[in-house]
């Protein structure tokens, strides 16, 4: 079921080992130790040890690492989800 109102996306980092995205996003790349995601006008790249994808649905993604070693958020000039 679709939402009635667009609330945008939120990104939460928990305990320096979990990245949770709620709302519209696009998964750009996924590897054994990294995930690259686009949320709105931002690109988020999380790298770490032992990546596990807990949830991957239309508007929710949860990536869990044994530990996050790098987290980068960049503004992307392209249109969202283009």
């Amino acid at each position: 079921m679709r939402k009635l109102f667009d609330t945008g996306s939120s990104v939460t980092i928990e305990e320096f080992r979990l990245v949770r995205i709620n709302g519209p996003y696009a998964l750009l790349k996924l590897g054994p130790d990294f995930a690259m995601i686009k949320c709105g006008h931002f690109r988020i790249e999380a790298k770490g040890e032992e990546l596990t994808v807990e949830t991957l649905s239309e508007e929710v993604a949860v990536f869990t690492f044994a530990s996050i070693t790098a987290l980068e958020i960049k503004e992307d000039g392209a249109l969202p989800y283009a």
Side-chain angles (χ1 to χ4, degrees), residues 4 9 13-14 17 20 28 31 39 42 48-49 56 58 60 77 80:
L4 295 175
S9 297
I13 292 111
E14 297 176 13
R17 49 182 296 277
R20 178 186 315 274
L28 302 176
C39 288
F42 294 92
E49 300 172 1
L56 196 58
E58 187 175 324
V60 176

Side-chain angles (χ1 to χ4, degrees), residues 28 38 78-82:
L28 302 176
K38 183 173 177 76
L79 294 173
Y81 318 112

Side-chain angles (χ1 to χ4, degrees), residues 13-51:
I13 292 111
E14 297 176 13
E15 299 178 3
F16 302 103
R17 49 182 296 277
L18 183 136
V19 178
R20 178 186 315 274
I21 298 151
N22 290 312
Y25 73 94
L27 180 62
L28 302 176
K29 290 184 183 178
L30 185 63
D33 62 351
F34 74 93
M36 187 181 296
I37 304 120
K38 183 173 177 76
C39 288
H41 294 285
F42 294 92
R43 284 184 187 229
I44 301 160
E45 185 170 355
K47 295 180 183 179
E49 300 172 1
E50 300 178 30
L51 169 62

